[in-house]
Amino acid sequence: MDLLKLIVLLIAFGAAMFIAYTVIREVVPWWNRRIGRYVSWIVEAMGATGEEVAEPRAQRLVSASILGPALLMIALGAWPLAIPAAAAGFAVPYAWVRFKQYQRRQKLDNQLVDALILMANGMKSGLSLLQALELAASESRRPMGDEFTRVVKEIQLGRSIDEALLGMAERIGMPDLEMAVHSIVTLRETGGNLSETFMTVANTVVERKKIEGKISALTAQGVYQGVGLCAMPFVMALVFYVMDPEYMGPMLTTGLGWLMWGAVIILDALGMWMILKIVKIDV
């Protein structure tokens, strides 16, 4: 009798594994097709920042960020928050990629002045524009050096200097670099002193950074106040929970309480976004 039970259990286990394998084999390709465009964007965007991300790794990242929070809410019994949690998880890879792009753009912005001054001094010493670009490619730090190296390689492969520079400006998307590139292209068509143009753009960028620093100092108080206001509901909830756990119990154990937390998070995020929009001043 015991042997019969064991055989039945083994058959049931094998059937369950077969069903699970069949479901996974069908669901995984379907899921990968649904997130395929998102994954492709992540791979392409990260490649543009100089950090290669393999497509399987991006698929795992997106799947974990979407399904993980949803399954966690279901396990905690807060099933009404499963969809909002999945939506928030969907935005995590996007925010991560944008943060990486922002970091790279900040590095490029900080290195632009040095590269322009380096090329201006090189052209004053008698170098051609191509030689000045090669000098910037070899002497500039990453990631600016990588961008100039790509420009030089494109020129060596037959692309014109103007097209290579315009491609770099479009790829990076920095207003200061676009101004410098368009000045170079215009002067190459009409004639002019490129070294003086490089120095003028470099001085303009330096002055802009000074103004941005003053504005950041003046608006920092508003940002800190916004952070304090947005953190207050969570701090007060923690204080009340320490003082009287039973009083805060319904907020942590009922569906209505989780819905209220979801509303708090959404309203907090909206308020912080509005504060940042108000204090952000483009120069």
Side-chain angles (χ1 to χ4, degrees):
M1 189 65 179
D2 293 337
L3 180 60
L4 181 60
K5 289 183 178 179
L6 179 61
I7 294 174
V8 171
L9 289 175
L10 289 175
I11 293 174
F13 177 76
M17 292 297 294
F18 177 76
I19 294 173
Y21 170 76
T22 304
V23 171
I24 292 174
R25 189 179 62 180
E26 296 296 329
V27 169
V28 170
W30 174 85
W31 175 257
N32 289 337
R33 287 194 299 270
R34 297 284 77 78
I35 64 175
R37 184 177 299 179
Y38 194 16
V39 169
S40 298
W41 175 80
I42 292 175
V43 172
E44 182 179 352
M46 291 303 296
T49 63
E51 298 184 21
E52 300 294 335
V53 177
E55 186 171 334
R57 182 187 175 192
Q59 289 176 343
R60 291 193 297 268
L61 172 66
V62 173
S63 300
S65 63
I66 296 175
L67 300 178
L71 294 176
L72 178 61
M73 292 297 103
I74 294 173
L76 294 175
W79 55 267
L81 292 180
I83 294 178
F90 181 82
V92 170
Y94 177 84
W96 175 62
V97 172
R98 289 301 186 191
F99 176 70
K100 289 292 184 180
Q101 290 176 333
Y102 172 78
Q103 279 188 323
R104 188 172 190 271
R105 192 174 293 111
Q106 287 296 108
K107 290 181 180 179
L108 289 169
D109 191 31
N110 294 332
Q111 296 171 4
L112 178 60
V113 174
D114 294 335
L116 292 174
I117 294 176
L118 182 64
M119 287 192 293
N121 293 333
M123 296 192 71
K124 285 180 180 179
S125 64
L127 298 180
S128 64
L129 178 58
L130 179 58
Q131 290 172 329
L133 292 172
E134 292 174 347
L135 178 64
S138 60
E139 298 296 331
S140 299
R141 300 189 306 274
R142 299 184 64 184
M144 182 61 75
D146 295 339
E147 291 294 335
F148 278 110
T149 300
R150 180 172 176 176
V151 169
V152 172
K153 288 182 179 179
E154 290 178 354
I155 295 172
Q156 292 173 347
L157 291 174
R159 199 175 187 184
S160 68
I161 295 178
D162 295 349
E163 290 178 349
L165 290 174
L166 289 172
M168 179 179 68
E170 182 179 358
R171 185 169 58 251
I172 297 176
M174 287 171 46
D176 294 329
L177 181 60
E178 291 178 357
M179 178 176 60
V181 168
H182 286 293
S183 299
I184 294 170
V185 172
T186 302
L187 287 177
R188 279 173 52 82
E189 293 177 354
T190 61
N193 193 328
L194 287 175
S195 62
E196 291 184 2
T197 301
F198 286 138
M199 292 302 298
T200 301
V201 175
N203 292 331
T204 302
V205 174
V206 170
E207 293 300 322
R208 179 184 60 79
K209 286 182 176 294
K210 290 181 181 179
I211 296 174
E212 284 183 345
K214 293 180 181 179
I215 293 175
S216 298
L218 293 174
T219 58
Q221 183 178 357
V223 175
Y224 293 145
Q225 288 176 346
V227 172
L229 288 174
C230 291
M232 189 172 295
F234 304 100
V235 174
M236 295 301 297
L238 179 61
V239 172
F240 288 144
Y241 182 79
V242 172
M243 294 175 60
D244 190 354
E246 294 183 0
Y247 179 75
M248 287 295 296
M251 287 291 292
L252 302 173
T253 57
T254 63
L256 180 60
W258 285 107
L259 284 175
M260 293 180 67
W261 276 118
V264 169
I265 293 172
I266 293 173
L267 292 175
D268 255 12
L270 181 60
M272 194 65 204
W273 176 78
M274 294 179 65
I275 291 172
L276 292 177
K277 291 291 288 185
I278 292 173
V279 302
K280 182 180 179 182
I281 301 175
D282 293 328
V283 179

